[in-house]
Amino acid sequence: MKRTRLLSVLALAVAAACITSVVQPSTSAEAFQPSTRASVIQYLQSISGTSIVSGQHNKEPASQPGQYTQQVKDITGQYPGLWGGDLFFAATDAANRQRMVDQAKTEWRNGSLVTIAWHACPPTGPSTCAFEGGVKSNISDAQFQQIITGGTALNTTWRQRMAEVVPYLRELRDAGVPVLFRPFHEMNETWNWWGGRPGVNGSAKIYQQMKDYFDAQGLTNLVWVWNVQDNPNANWSSYYPGSSYVDVASLDVWYKSFPSSSDYSQMQSIAGGKPIAIAEMGKAPTASLLTSQTRWSYFMIWSEQLRQNNTNAEIQAAYFHPRVLNQGEVGLP
């Protein structure tokens, strides 16, 4: 099946220059019915070592929540097996969160897994913010400790901040859409306000508190994805919130193009048998990576990096590799 589609991919890529819509009709025989978080976890476990799901992130603007996924279709003739979105931070994008949720439901119905990140604004400021000076900012250790300490003003503000996105995640729950939810990504980095704090009362603590809060809100559809970046300082385990708080352990690959063998080993060691994933990467995975590091359960290429950092041939080679599963090839239990 993959080889047959490969024969027509060049013609599809040429014709797709005229395609602009990101709304996909629900016609796939493999389209998903309403399901549970357990089914997604079980599926990722089942393919670990044999297959890997292709993924594409869709960054702002939230008014175009499928623009980069559509670029994959334009280049390969395939939609990714994983659609990535964000709850965002800027006022204009927060106002369009419903568009993102609607796209997530469409992608799920069409047979793609759904992952959502959240570039949250710090509770030391307003609930919407710029990236520079907002999401990408520093807060003091004293402020951070107040955020994770119940009863403080900053903790109260933070709980209100989390409450703002609950209705959107609940809508996906009610639609039967499990979400690979990746908050506080790259928590071993210091570019963001939540990161760079190892230990039990550091970055892992705010992750734990969010999970506890969302669990209390009945968000039973969330598959919790813990995430670090491949920085050379290693010691990623000092940011791990514990097995009961993690369903998938994931790595963002930015210091180098692909995970090293030691990165791969370290992630498996931390995960302790849970699925592992490459949650962000700029380069399309090569055949060498796909055949040597077989336990990654999915990869996700970052938005504009798809075309800026890859040739069409590189993208096509990844999507038509025999181990890679695209939309229509992902089959939940």
Side-chain angles (χ1 to χ4, degrees), residues 60 87-95 97 119 121 127-131 135:
E60 61 271 14
L87 287 165
F88 297 116
F89 48 93
T92 53
D93 294 315
R97 282 171 175 156
H119 287 80
C121 300
S127 63
T128 58
C129 63
F131 184 78
V135 177

Side-chain angles (χ1 to χ4, degrees), residues 209-252:
Q209 287 193 333
M210 177 177 281
K211 184 179 186 303
D212 289 342
Y213 177 77
F214 281 175
D215 284 353
Q217 301 306 308
L219 297 177
T220 54
N221 59 321
L222 300 185
V223 179
W224 286 83
V225 181
W226 173 79
N227 180 257
V228 290
Q229 192 176 155
D230 64 330
N231 70 31
N233 297 325
N235 199 27
W236 302 336
S237 61
S238 61
Y239 294 88
Y240 193 65
S243 177
S244 63
Y245 285 90
V246 175
D247 298 310
V248 177
S250 70
L251 180 68
D252 289 0

Side-chain angles (χ1 to χ4, degrees), residues 249-282:
S250 70
L251 180 68
D252 289 0
V253 185
W254 291 115
Y255 283 82
K256 42 195 175 294
S257 295
F258 305 110
S260 67
S261 58
S262 61
D263 292 342
Y264 179 56
S265 296
Q266 186 175 179
M267 287 302 296
Q268 289 183 88
S269 176
I270 293 170
K274 295 178 184 291
I276 61 173
I278 305 174
E280 292 180 18
M281 62 192 314

Side-chain angles (χ1 to χ4, degrees), residues 4 19 39 48 50 68 83 108 162 174 187 271 286-287 291 310 331:
T4 301
I19 299 174
S39 69
S48 295
T50 59
Y68 294 101
W83 172 87
W108 175 262
M162 290 190 289
D174 293 346
M187 63 169 56
T286 61
T291 56
N310 300 279

Side-chain angles (χ1 to χ4, degrees), residues 28-291:
S28 170
E30 300 296 329
F32 296 154
Q33 298 300 311
S35 192
T36 64
R37 64 184 294 275
S39 69
V40 171
I41 297 170
Q42 181 182 343
Y43 177 72
L44 295 179
Q45 288 276 22
S46 72
I47 66 170
S48 295
T50 59
S51 301
I52 183 171
V53 177
S54 60
Q56 178 61 46
H57 186 64
N58 294 268
K59 63 183 290 186
E60 61 271 14
S63 58
Q64 299 178 52
Q67 61 173 323
Y68 294 101
T69 297
Q70 184 62 44
Q71 289 181 16
V72 172
K73 179 65 160 59
D74 295 347
I75 294 166
T76 68
Q78 302 294 301
Y79 283 110
L82 173 80
W83 172 87
D86 201 311
L87 287 165
F88 297 116
F89 48 93
T92 53
D93 294 315
N96 276 303
R97 282 171 175 156
Q98 187 60 52
R99 295 283 296 274
M100 183 276 294
V101 167
D102 292 342
Q103 187 73 28
K105 289 190 286 188
T106 295
E107 300 286 350
W108 175 262
R109 288 194 299 266
N110 288 343
S112 289
L113 302 177
V114 168
T115 183
I116 294 176
W118 187 17
H119 287 80
C121 300
T124 51
S127 63
T128 58
C129 63
F131 184 78
E132 296 287 343
V135 177
K136 185 179 179 181
S137 64
N138 295 311
I139 63 174
S140 69
D141 289 341
Q143 288 173 319
F144 186 84
Q145 290 305 312
Q146 289 178 45
I147 293 169
I148 63 174
T149 301
T152 67
L154 283 178
N155 179 262
T156 299
T157 300
W158 178 236
R159 290 174 68 86
Q160 293 169 343
R161 186 73 41 86
M162 290 190 289
E164 293 176 6
V165 302
V166 167
Y168 300 102
L169 298 171
R170 189 174 286 151
E171 181 179 339
L172 290 169
R173 180 203 64 187
D174 293 346
V177 179
V179 175
L180 288 150
F181 187 57
R182 187 172 65 106
F184 307 118
H185 66 298
E186 300 180 5
M187 63 169 56
N188 59 327
E189 290 288 305
T190 57
W191 64 263
N192 53 66
W193 63 267
W194 59 79
R197 294 179 168 87
V200 294
N201 287 316
S203 301
K205 185 68 171 181
I206 197 171
Y207 176 107
Q208 292 172 333
Q209 287 193 333
M210 177 177 281
K211 184 179 186 303
D212 289 342
Y213 177 77
F214 281 175
D215 284 353
Q217 301 306 308
L219 297 177
T220 54
N221 59 321
L222 300 185
V223 179
W224 286 83
V225 181
W226 173 79
N227 180 257
V228 290
Q229 192 176 155
D230 64 330
N231 70 31
N233 297 325
N235 199 27
W236 302 336
S237 61
S238 61
Y239 294 88
Y240 193 65
S243 177
S244 63
Y245 285 90
V246 175
D247 298 310
V248 177
S250 70
L251 180 68
D252 289 0
V253 185
W254 291 115
Y255 283 82
K256 42 195 175 294
S257 295
F258 305 110
S260 67
S261 58
S262 61
D263 292 342
Y264 179 56
S265 296
Q266 186 175 179
M267 287 302 296
Q268 289 183 88
S269 176
I270 293 170
K274 295 178 184 291
I276 61 173
I278 305 174
E280 292 180 18
M281 62 192 314
K283 289 293 295 181
T286 61
S288 176
L289 174 70
L290 293 169
T291 56

